[in-house]
Amino acid sequence: MVVVPGYLEAAACEALRNDMEQLREAGLFRQAGVGRTSTHRRDMDVRLTESCWLFPPPPPSLGDRAARRELYAIVSDLTQQLSTPLRPLNRWEPELAYLHYPEGGYYKRHFDVPPALQL
């Protein structure tokens, strides 16, 4: 994990926070689990959080679509900046989600492995 203070402008952060709150109030958040589709399960030893996936996007009538479009553009630009010929990142569709951690919520340290690299 990397934290870059000031990477997003305060106004963009506020717009995304408002979008997340609107989507949560609309009931789009679900208890998050671990594992891929075939192995997906809830595991309270690993995480206690709720998630709202941004791919596919939430219904257009909900939340702040402009804030999400800006986020998608930022992530796309960052993906291109980090990509190299030996490690092209654009092979995988980004996984973006809003996460809500209730009081006492957590997500323990882990490593994600893209399906193409799983044995």
Side-chain angles (χ1 to χ4, degrees):
M1 178 169 67
V2 174
V3 176
V4 181
Y7 186 76
L8 293 179
E9 294 179 12
C13 289
E14 186 63 26
L16 290 168
R17 177 186 296 270
N18 289 336
D19 181 47
M20 182 212 61
E21 289 173 355
Q22 290 175 38
L23 296 178
R24 191 158 183 266
E25 287 173 8
L28 296 184
F29 278 69
R30 300 287 179 255
Q31 182 68 41
V34 297
R36 291 279 176 195
T37 303
S38 63
T39 61
H40 188 264
R41 67 192 186 291
R42 289 188 182 153
D43 189 339
M44 301 301 274
D45 291 330
V46 177
R47 80 188 296 186
L48 175 58
T49 184
E50 298 171 353
S51 63
C52 175
W53 289 97
L54 300 180
F55 285 109
S61 61
L62 299 175
D64 185 342
R65 291 176 60 204
R68 270 181 263 135
R69 279 194 300 271
E70 185 176 334
L71 177 63
Y72 299 153
I74 290 168
V75 170
S76 177
D77 184 53
L78 179 61
T79 299
Q80 289 179 9
Q81 290 177 37
L82 295 174
S83 190
T84 68
L86 295 177
R87 279 200 96 134
L89 296 178
N90 59 354
R91 293 187 307 172
W92 299 292
E93 187 172 297
E95 293 182 354
L96 289 178
Y98 288 138
L99 299 177
H100 171 77
Y101 292 87
E103 188 171 330
Y106 53 87
Y107 194 0
K108 293 183 180 177
R109 187 176 181 175
H110 67 285
F111 294 96
D112 285 344
V113 179
L117 299 178
Q118 292 178 1
L119 299 177

